[in-house]
Amino acid sequence: MSKSDLSLLNAAAGEITQEALIRNVNNDLQAEAAVEEAQQAALAAAAEKQLQIDDDNDDDFDDFANDPEVQSLQEKRLAALKARYMEEKAYHMQGHGEYREIVEEEFLKEVCASDNVVVHFYHNEFFRCKVIDKHMRVIAPKHKRCKFLYLNAEKAPFFVDKLMIRMLPTLVVFKDGVAGGGVFGVFLGGPV
């Protein structure tokens, strides 16, 4: 073989190799483009489906917004909440939800002004009165429909005699201004 034949063969081999390389690169690029196109189509389909779900959810809420039964329930609930707020506000104005001391002159006014009242008759030097006092301070804010008061028994002899209080501490429960019962004396420990 001559040099010219050899150079022709080398040129032909180079062209064939170059065409094969171009074909392979084109095939790789087309495969990558197909994968990328499939991913974009999947993302577009997912976004479309999400929009459809969001639209369906919006339709559900719109259905409830125009439903007269739901509106009626909302109005009733709102009216009930307003009534409860007004009731709690009225109780708060009467002194409910707090545990406070009164004097003998205020006793009738405080007891007759509320439906439910608990009065703790105490003595400053009695340990058991202090224990009851501690518990009443915890209970009072939790029971807003009842007024909790405490009265020094030494400074209210008239009511101590009228209510026949003979032992301290004493809790007297008043319903509509009338003494309905109570706890006279408190046992704080083991067997008698």
Side-chain angles (χ1 to χ4, degrees):
M1 269 212 217
S2 74
K3 261 187 168 184
S4 67
D5 288 337
L6 193 55
S7 66
L8 274 174
L9 280 175
N10 280 340
E15 284 181 25
I16 293 172
T17 305
Q18 192 174 9
E19 287 176 9
L21 179 64
I22 291 173
R23 226 180 4 254
N24 287 340
V25 168
N26 281 339
N27 288 341
D28 289 345
L29 289 175
Q30 287 177 355
E32 287 178 17
V35 168
E36 189 175 316
E37 187 178 322
Q39 288 175 345
Q40 288 179 353
L43 288 174
E48 186 177 321
K49 189 170 186 177
Q50 184 64 37
L51 285 174
Q52 187 178 24
I53 289 171
D54 289 345
D55 287 343
D56 289 346
N57 288 343
D58 291 343
D59 290 343
D60 291 343
F61 290 122
D62 291 341
D63 291 343
F64 287 125
N66 297 329
D67 189 0
E69 290 182 30
V70 172
Q71 288 177 349
S72 171
L73 288 172
Q74 287 175 339
E75 290 171 4
K76 287 179 185 177
R77 180 66 178 145
L78 186 60
L81 286 173
K82 285 180 182 178
R84 181 176 172 191
Y85 172 75
M86 295 306 288
E87 180 182 45
E88 286 181 7
K89 188 175 178 181
Y91 282 141
H92 183 69
M93 296 294 288
Q94 293 175 355
H96 291 240
E98 58 188 38
Y99 182 60
R100 59 191 171 83
E101 184 170 17
I102 58 170
V103 294
E104 188 174 32
E105 291 78 27
E106 299 171 335
F107 183 83
L108 286 176
K109 181 181 82 164
E110 292 288 342
V111 169
C112 294
S114 296
D115 295 336
N116 301 307
V117 181
V118 174
V119 180
H120 170 214
F121 288 87
Y122 75 99
H123 189 281
N124 283 332
E125 297 177 9
F126 290 5
F127 172 74
R128 291 181 177 174
C129 290
K130 292 176 184 175
V131 171
I132 293 295
D133 192 57
K134 174 187 162 198
H135 290 289
M136 297 298 278
R137 289 185 191 284
V138 171
I139 292 172
K142 295 179 181 177
H143 300 279
K144 304 250 188 230
R145 293 182 180 218
C146 185
K147 186 186 290 187
F148 291 87
L149 306 168
Y150 59 104
L151 178 64
N152 189 336
E154 284 183 316
K155 296 180 181 177
F158 177 77
F159 291 109
V160 168
D161 287 340
K162 285 293 181 187
L163 296 170
M164 295 182 283
I165 296 172
R166 303 288 176 245
M167 189 180 304
L168 294 177
T170 296
L171 296 174
V172 180
V173 178
F174 293 90
K175 178 76 173 161
D176 296 322
V178 178
V183 178
F184 301 94
V186 176
F187 179 67
L188 296 174
V192 179

